[in-house]
Amino acid sequence: MIRTPPTTPSRGLRRDVCAAGAAALLVAASVLAGRHIEDTSRTLFVDWPPLLASWGPHLGPGTPAAVLVAVATVTYGPVLAARLPWRALLPAAWGTAMMWILSLALVDGWHRGIAHRLTTRHEYLQVVDRFDDIPAALRGFTGHILLDSPDNWPAHVAGHPPAATLTFVLLDRIGLRGGGWAGMWCITVGATACVAVLVTVRALADEALARRAAPFLVLAPAAVWMGTSADAYFAAVAAWAVALSALAVTRRSPGWAGASGLLFGLTCYLSYGLTLVALIAAAALVLGRRGVRERPVPVAALLAGLAVVPTVFTLAGFDWLEAYRLLVTRYGQGAGGIRPYGYWVWANPACAVLITGLATAAGLRRTAAVLVRHRTGPPADVRLAFLVCAALVALLVADLSGMSKAETERIWLPFALWLLPACAFLTRPRLWLAAQALLALLLNHLLFTGW
């Protein structure tokens, strides 16, 4: 039987609306302040702060499909999430999330919305031909990170460990060449992230909460940037690393633990910033600590799996620490050395609001309330609240680091997805789902988003 949250007075809904309103005010303030800074000093390097986007109301071939997916999910999503067998819910969530991401991307058309995104001068496909000799490319990778180095890498290649670029090199090698295949890879894999989060919530909290969160994970405004961005792919790998660790500790399975460690190692070689996903993984281990105490083997298997990818890249000649040190220098050579920290440190959370939606802001208010009442509240609610807070801490650490000034909304995807389960605490889910869908549709049809 599916547990529903206890009936709450209208005061609870009013507080939810106030939290959503405060989040909207944060976004409005970031837009107005950003517009002023950009008009006067031009130090933000974005056309529609705080987003890397430009104003351009438009419709496209994906518009009817996006509206249809939104209406169907708002209308039937909560009921289907509650009634479908679990094994049917997971592929249904993946398929619907993929349709949502793809339809939003196609609002800009196939070429601009998907095929062209990963072929621009900043992107990975620009350097595929330079990896004809993969071992040599890895050995010389750090020699091309700095802007003043010979044949310096494009921004995204230089800004990530080489596993990110190698993904697209390998796709090219097996015949899936060009931006279209690369874009569909990111959309298809990225859409699985919602399934990974559902698996984690079910393992660490309970199935009822996972089911309530499912429509919000499917219909997330984050879909605007998941099609097409390599960060959607990174987010999915990181999410599955956490999901498998949750399965490992709750089922006491060395196999799941080893697979989780393998994916964590890959995650760290896809993006330097995703080392912070360790905070979410640590929360999973804490929540499953009883299984860890009773059978520590899964932790040993996780550590063994974790060592695989770093060992392979190190033996191939790539020095992760040296590359990161050089990246920090490169960061200062570009927009990161000019963009004002004083603006982005609070505008980045405004970006997170746009990615996760106003419903998540209301859900985070309820998450805080659950933690305040942790001694008397349902244990499953407390466990979910703890997991969500770990993701929020990871996001805030990334924000405060100062290494997110030259980045935009796409980099928050791997953390933002873990905030969405907070929506499981909300009452009147259809109302909040409609708000989520409307925000995504407005963003995608009023702005041309970057990356």
Side-chain angles (χ1 to χ4, degrees):
M1 183 174 180
I2 301 304
R3 176 173 58 82
T4 57
T7 302
T8 57
S10 59
R11 183 174 62 179
L13 180 59
R14 287 198 300 271
R15 288 177 176 176
D16 292 342
V17 172
C18 287
L25 288 175
L26 175 64
V27 172
S30 69
V31 171
L32 295 174
R35 188 72 269 159
H36 174 73
I37 293 171
E38 191 63 10
D39 289 342
T40 56
S41 62
R42 299 195 176 278
T43 56
L44 298 185
F45 298 97
V46 290
D47 293 331
W48 206 86
L51 303 179
L52 182 69
S54 57
W55 180 258
H58 62 290
L59 300 173
T63 299
V67 172
L68 180 61
V69 172
V71 171
T73 305
V74 170
T75 305
Y76 302 107
V79 173
L80 289 175
R83 295 180 180 176
L84 281 176
W86 181 253
R87 290 187 178 182
L89 175 60
L90 296 182
W94 177 29
T96 308
M98 187 172 170
M99 287 190 292
W100 179 234
I101 296 168
L102 185 60
S103 61
L104 288 174
L106 288 175
V107 170
D108 295 341
W110 169 259
H111 178 72
R112 180 168 187 164
I114 296 177
H116 180 63
R117 287 290 183 99
L118 293 170
T119 64
T120 64
R121 64 188 181 92
H122 297 296
E123 289 286 0
Y124 304 96
L125 268 62
Q126 288 288 322
V127 301
V128 166
D129 292 341
R130 293 173 61 179
F131 278 73
D132 287 339
D133 185 342
I134 291 177
L138 292 178
R139 288 193 298 271
F141 191 88
T142 55
H144 304 288
I145 292 178
L146 297 179
L147 274 178
D148 53 5
S149 61
D151 297 321
N152 63 80
W153 298 122
H156 287 184
V157 178
H160 295 81
T165 306
L166 276 180
T167 298
F168 300 102
V169 171
L170 294 176
L171 286 175
D172 182 84
R173 292 283 177 88
I174 64 174
L176 304 182
R177 299 182 177 89
W181 284 111
M184 288 306 300
W185 166 266
C186 292
I187 290 173
T188 304
V189 177
T192 69
C194 73
V195 179
V197 177
L198 289 176
V199 168
T200 306
V201 173
R202 182 178 186 248
L204 298 178
D206 72 4
E207 186 174 317
L209 288 170
R211 288 177 177 273
R212 289 184 58 81
F216 291 95
L217 284 159
V218 165
L219 209 60
V224 172
W225 293 275
M226 295 183 79
T228 301
S229 165
D231 289 82
Y233 157 52
F234 304 160
V237 175
W240 279 109
V242 175
L244 295 184
S245 69
L247 292 177
V249 296
T250 54
R251 299 183 181 182
R252 304 167 194 172
S253 167
W256 288 128
S260 173
L262 190 65
L263 288 182
F264 271 122
L266 176 60
T267 297
C268 294
Y269 278 74
L270 289 172
S271 174
Y272 298 104
L274 289 188
T275 53
L276 290 173
V277 172
L279 294 174
I280 306 174
L285 293 177
V286 168
L287 292 172
R289 60 188 179 276
R290 178 180 299 176
V292 174
R293 284 198 303 265
E294 293 177 359
R295 187 178 181 185
V297 174
V299 176
L302 188 148
L303 294 175
L306 180 62
V308 173
V309 173
T311 299
V312 170
F313 275 94
T314 301
L315 291 176
F318 173 72
D319 187 332
W320 193 97
L321 292 174
E322 173 66 9
Y324 180 72
R325 184 187 68 79
L326 292 171
L327 171 63
V328 173
T329 302
R330 164 94 181 236
Y331 191 81
Q333 292 176 327
I338 301 173
R339 283 175 168 158
Y341 179 84
Y343 171 76
W344 287 106
V345 74
W346 63 273
N348 283 334
C351 288
V353 169
L354 292 172
I355 292 171
T356 59
L358 298 180
T360 304
L364 289 176
R365 184 203 74 80
R366 297 231 173 197
T367 299
V370 168
L371 290 177
V372 168
R373 301 191 303 268
H374 70 279
R375 294 185 182 278
T376 57
D381 289 6
V382 176
R383 290 195 293 270
L384 176 58
F386 182 76
L387 183 68
V388 169
C389 283
L392 183 60
V393 169
L395 187 149
L396 293 176
V397 171
D399 178 33
L400 294 172
S401 71
M403 287 295 288
S404 54
K405 295 188 282 91
E407 301 294 344
T408 49
E409 48 281 2
R410 63 182 176 79
I411 70 167
W412 305 113
L413 292 175
F415 307 109
L417 292 176
W418 293 97
L419 302 182
L420 292 166
C423 297
F425 296 130
L426 296 173
T427 58
R428 304 186 66 179
R430 286 191 178 91
L431 172 66
W432 291 108
L433 278 171
Q436 297 287 85
L438 181 60
L439 174 61
L441 290 170
L442 287 174
L443 286 170
N444 215 77
H445 286 84
L446 294 179
L447 302 173
F448 285 109
T449 55
W451 297 132

Coordinates of all heavy atoms in Angstrom, one line a residue, residues 118-135 137-138 141 153-154 157 162-179 181-182:
L118 N 27.2 19.9 -29.7 CA 28.4 19.3 -29.2 C 29.5 19.4 -30.3 O 30.6 18.8 -30.2 CB 28.3 17.8 -28.8 CG 27.4 17.6 -27.6 CD1 27.1 16.2 -27.4 CD2 28.1 18.2 -26.3
T119 N 29.3 20.3 -31.3 CA 30.3 20.5 -32.4 C 30.8 21.9 -32.4 O 31.6 22.2 -33.3 CB 29.6 20.2 -33.8 OG1 28.6 21.1 -34.0 CG2 29.1 18.8 -33.8
T120 N 30.4 22.8 -31.5 CA 30.8 24.2 -31.5 C 32.3 24.2 -31.1 O 32.9 23.2 -30.6 CB 30.0 25.0 -30.5 OG1 30.2 24.5 -29.2 CG2 28.5 24.9 -30.9
R121 N 32.9 25.4 -31.2 CA 34.3 25.5 -30.9 C 34.8 25.2 -29.5 O 35.9 25.0 -29.3 CB 34.8 27.0 -31.3 CG 34.2 28.1 -30.4 CD 34.5 29.4 -31.0 NE 34.0 30.5 -30.2 CZ 34.7 31.1 -29.2 NH1 35.9 30.7 -28.9 NH2 34.1 32.1 -28.5
H122 N 33.8 25.2 -28.6 CA 34.2 24.9 -27.2 C 34.1 23.4 -26.9 O 34.5 23.0 -25.8 CB 33.3 25.7 -26.2 CG 33.4 27.1 -26.3 ND1 34.5 27.8 -26.0 CD2 32.5 28.1 -26.7 CE1 34.3 29.1 -26.2 NE2 33.1 29.3 -26.6
E123 N 33.5 22.6 -27.8 CA 33.1 21.3 -27.4 C 34.0 20.2 -27.8 O 35.0 20.3 -28.5 CB 31.7 21.1 -28.1 CG 30.6 21.9 -27.4 CD 30.2 21.3 -26.1 OE1 30.8 20.3 -25.6 OE2 29.3 21.9 -25.4
Y124 N 33.6 19.0 -27.4 CA 34.5 17.8 -27.4 C 34.7 17.3 -28.9 O 35.8 16.8 -29.2 CB 33.9 16.7 -26.6 CG 33.6 17.1 -25.2 CD1 32.3 17.5 -24.8 CD2 34.6 17.0 -24.2 CE1 32.1 17.9 -23.5 CE2 34.4 17.4 -22.9 CZ 33.1 17.8 -22.5 OH 32.9 18.2 -21.2
L125 N 33.7 17.4 -29.7 CA 33.8 16.8 -31.1 C 34.9 17.6 -31.9 O 35.3 17.1 -33.0 CB 32.5 16.8 -31.8 CG 31.7 15.5 -31.6 CD1 31.4 15.2 -30.1 CD2 30.5 15.5 -32.5
Q126 N 35.3 18.8 -31.4 CA 36.3 19.5 -32.2 C 37.6 18.8 -32.2 O 38.5 19.1 -33.0 CB 36.4 20.9 -31.6 CG 35.3 21.9 -31.8 CD 35.2 22.3 -33.3 OE1 36.3 22.6 -33.9 NE2 34.0 22.4 -33.8
V127 N 37.9 18.0 -31.2 CA 39.2 17.4 -31.1 C 39.3 15.9 -31.3 O 40.3 15.3 -31.0 CB 39.8 17.7 -29.7 CG1 39.9 19.2 -29.4 CG2 39.0 17.0 -28.6
V128 N 38.2 15.3 -31.8 CA 38.2 13.8 -32.0 C 39.3 13.4 -32.9 O 40.0 12.4 -32.6 CB 36.8 13.4 -32.6 CG1 36.9 12.0 -33.1 CG2 35.7 13.5 -31.6
D129 N 39.6 14.2 -33.9 CA 40.7 13.8 -34.8 C 42.1 13.8 -34.1 O 43.1 13.2 -34.7 CB 40.7 14.7 -36.0 CG 39.5 14.5 -36.9 OD1 38.9 13.4 -36.8 OD2 39.2 15.4 -37.7
R130 N 42.2 14.5 -33.0 CA 43.5 14.6 -32.3 C 43.8 13.4 -31.4 O 44.8 13.4 -30.8 CB 43.6 15.9 -31.6 CG 43.6 17.2 -32.5 CD 43.5 18.5 -31.7 NE 44.6 18.7 -30.7 CZ 44.8 19.7 -29.9 NH1 43.9 20.7 -30.0 NH2 45.8 19.8 -29.1
F131 N 42.8 12.5 -31.4 CA 42.9 11.3 -30.5 C 43.1 10.1 -31.4 O 42.7 9.0 -31.0 CB 41.7 11.2 -29.6 CG 41.8 12.0 -28.4 CD1 41.6 13.4 -28.4 CD2 42.0 11.4 -27.2 CE1 41.7 14.2 -27.3 CE2 42.1 12.2 -26.0 CZ 41.9 13.6 -26.1
D132 N 43.7 10.2 -32.6 CA 44.0 9.0 -33.4 C 44.9 8.0 -32.6 O 44.7 6.8 -32.7 CB 44.7 9.4 -34.7 CG 43.7 10.1 -35.6 OD1 42.5 9.9 -35.5 OD2 44.1 10.9 -36.5
D133 N 45.9 8.6 -31.9 CA 46.7 7.8 -31.0 C 46.3 8.1 -29.6 O 46.8 9.1 -29.0 CB 48.2 8.1 -31.3 CG 49.1 7.2 -30.5 OD1 48.7 6.6 -29.5 OD2 50.3 7.2 -30.9
I134 N 45.4 7.3 -29.0 CA 44.9 7.6 -27.7 C 45.9 7.6 -26.6 O 46.0 8.6 -25.8 CB 43.7 6.6 -27.4 CG1 42.5 6.9 -28.3 CG2 43.3 6.8 -25.9 CD1 41.4 5.9 -28.1
P135 N 46.8 6.6 -26.5 CA 47.8 6.7 -25.5 C 48.7 7.9 -25.6 O 49.0 8.6 -24.5 CB 48.7 5.4 -25.7 CG 47.7 4.5 -26.4 CD 46.9 5.3 -27.3
A137 N 47.8 10.8 -26.9 CA 47.0 12.0 -26.5 C 46.8 12.1 -25.0 O 46.9 13.2 -24.5 CB 45.6 11.8 -27.2
L138 N 46.7 10.9 -24.3 CA 46.6 11.0 -22.9 C 47.9 11.4 -22.2 O 47.9 12.2 -21.3 CB 46.2 9.6 -22.3 CG 44.8 9.1 -22.7 CD1 44.6 7.7 -22.1 CD2 43.8 10.1 -22.1
F141 N 48.2 15.2 -22.7 CA 46.9 15.9 -22.4 C 47.2 17.2 -21.7 O 46.7 18.3 -22.0 CB 45.9 15.0 -21.7 CG 44.5 15.6 -21.6 CD1 43.6 15.4 -22.6 CD2 44.1 16.4 -20.5 CE1 42.3 15.9 -22.6 CE2 42.9 16.9 -20.5 CZ 42.0 16.7 -21.5
W153 N 43.6 23.0 -25.8 CA 42.3 22.4 -26.0 C 41.2 23.4 -25.9 O 41.3 24.4 -25.2 CB 42.1 21.4 -24.8 CG 43.0 20.2 -24.7 CD1 43.8 19.9 -23.6 CD2 43.3 19.2 -25.7 NE1 44.5 18.8 -23.9 CE2 44.2 18.3 -25.1 CE3 42.8 19.0 -27.0 CZ2 44.7 17.2 -25.8 CZ3 43.3 17.8 -27.7 CH2 44.2 17.0 -27.1
P154 N 40.1 23.1 -26.6 CA 38.9 24.0 -26.4 C 38.5 24.0 -24.9 O 38.8 23.1 -24.2 CB 37.8 23.3 -27.3 CG 38.6 22.5 -28.3 CD 39.9 22.1 -27.6
V157 N 37.1 20.7 -23.3 CA 38.1 19.6 -23.3 C 39.1 19.9 -22.2 O 39.5 19.0 -21.4 CB 38.8 19.5 -24.6 CG1 39.8 18.4 -24.6 CG2 37.7 19.1 -25.7
P162 N 40.2 13.6 -19.3 CA 40.1 13.1 -20.7 C 39.0 12.0 -20.9 O 38.7 11.7 -22.0 CB 41.5 12.5 -21.0 CG 42.1 12.3 -19.7 CD 41.6 13.3 -18.8
A163 N 38.5 11.4 -19.8 CA 37.4 10.4 -20.0 C 36.2 11.0 -20.7 O 35.5 10.4 -21.5 CB 37.0 9.8 -18.7
A164 N 36.0 12.3 -20.5 CA 34.9 13.0 -21.1 C 35.1 13.0 -22.7 O 34.2 12.6 -23.4 CB 34.8 14.5 -20.6
T165 N 36.2 13.5 -23.1 CA 36.5 13.5 -24.5 C 36.6 12.1 -25.1 O 36.1 11.8 -26.2 CB 37.8 14.3 -24.8 OG1 37.8 15.5 -24.2 CG2 38.1 14.4 -26.3
L166 N 37.2 11.2 -24.4 CA 37.3 9.8 -24.9 C 36.0 9.2 -25.2 O 35.9 8.3 -26.0 CB 38.1 9.0 -23.9 CG 39.6 9.0 -23.9 CD1 40.2 8.1 -22.9 CD2 40.1 8.6 -25.3
T167 N 35.0 9.5 -24.4 CA 33.6 9.0 -24.7 C 33.2 9.3 -26.1 O 32.7 8.4 -26.8 CB 32.6 9.6 -23.7 OG1 32.9 9.3 -22.4 CG2 31.2 9.1 -24.0
F168 N 33.4 10.5 -26.6 CA 33.0 10.9 -27.9 C 34.0 10.3 -29.0 O 33.6 10.1 -30.1 CB 32.8 12.4 -28.0 CG 31.8 12.9 -27.0 CD1 32.2 13.5 -25.8 CD2 30.5 12.7 -27.3 CE1 31.2 13.9 -24.9 CE2 29.5 13.1 -26.4 CZ 29.9 13.7 -25.2
V169 N 35.2 10.2 -28.6 CA 36.2 9.5 -29.5 C 35.8 8.1 -29.7 O 35.8 7.6 -30.9 CB 37.6 9.6 -28.9 CG1 38.6 8.8 -29.7 CG2 38.1 11.1 -28.8
L170 N 35.4 7.4 -28.7 CA 35.0 6.0 -28.8 C 33.7 5.8 -29.6 O 33.5 4.9 -30.4 CB 34.9 5.3 -27.5 CG 36.2 5.2 -26.7 CD1 36.0 4.6 -25.3 CD2 37.2 4.4 -27.5
L171 N 32.8 6.8 -29.4 CA 31.6 6.8 -30.2 C 31.9 6.9 -31.7 O 31.3 6.2 -32.5 CB 30.6 7.9 -29.8 CG 29.8 7.7 -28.5 CD1 29.1 9.0 -28.1 CD2 28.9 6.5 -28.5
D172 N 32.8 7.8 -32.0 CA 33.3 8.0 -33.3 C 33.9 6.7 -33.9 O 33.7 6.3 -35.1 CB 34.3 9.2 -33.4 CG 34.7 9.5 -34.8 OD1 34.0 10.2 -35.5 OD2 35.8 9.0 -35.2
R173 N 34.7 6.0 -33.1 CA 35.4 4.8 -33.5 C 34.5 3.7 -33.9 O 34.8 2.9 -34.7 CB 36.4 4.4 -32.4 CG 37.5 5.3 -32.2 CD 38.6 5.2 -33.3 NE 39.7 6.1 -33.0 CZ 40.8 5.9 -32.3 NH1 40.9 4.7 -31.7 NH2 41.7 6.8 -32.1
I174 N 33.3 3.6 -33.2 CA 32.4 2.5 -33.5 C 31.4 2.9 -34.6 O 30.4 2.2 -34.8 CB 31.7 2.1 -32.2 CG1 30.8 3.2 -31.6 CG2 32.7 1.6 -31.2 CD1 29.9 2.7 -30.5
G175 N 31.6 4.1 -35.2 CA 30.7 4.5 -36.3 C 29.6 5.5 -35.9 O 28.9 5.9 -36.8
L176 N 29.5 5.8 -34.7 CA 28.5 6.8 -34.3 C 29.1 8.2 -34.3 O 29.3 8.8 -33.3 CB 27.9 6.5 -32.9 CG 27.3 5.1 -32.7 CD1 26.8 4.9 -31.3 CD2 26.3 4.8 -33.8
R177 N 29.3 8.7 -35.5 CA 30.1 9.9 -35.7 C 29.1 11.1 -35.8 O 28.0 11.0 -36.2 CB 30.9 9.8 -37.0 CG 31.9 8.7 -37.0 CD 32.7 8.8 -38.3 NE 33.7 7.7 -38.3 CZ 33.6 6.5 -38.7 NH1 32.4 6.1 -39.2 NH2 34.5 5.6 -38.6
G178 N 29.7 12.3 -35.4 CA 29.0 13.5 -35.6 C 28.1 14.0 -34.4 O 27.9 13.2 -33.4
G179 N 27.6 15.2 -34.5 CA 26.9 15.8 -33.3 C 25.6 15.1 -33.1 O 25.1 15.1 -31.9
W181 N 24.7 11.9 -33.3 CA 24.8 10.7 -32.4 C 25.3 11.1 -31.0 O 24.9 10.5 -30.0 CB 25.9 9.7 -33.1 CG 25.3 8.9 -34.2 CD1 25.7 9.0 -35.5 CD2 24.3 7.9 -34.1 NE1 24.9 8.2 -36.3 CE2 24.1 7.4 -35.5 CE3 23.6 7.3 -33.1 CZ2 23.2 6.4 -35.8 CZ3 22.7 6.3 -33.4 CH2 22.5 5.9 -34.7
A182 N 26.2 12.0 -31.0 CA 26.7 12.5 -29.7 C 25.6 13.1 -28.8 O 25.5 12.8 -27.6 CB 27.9 13.5 -29.8

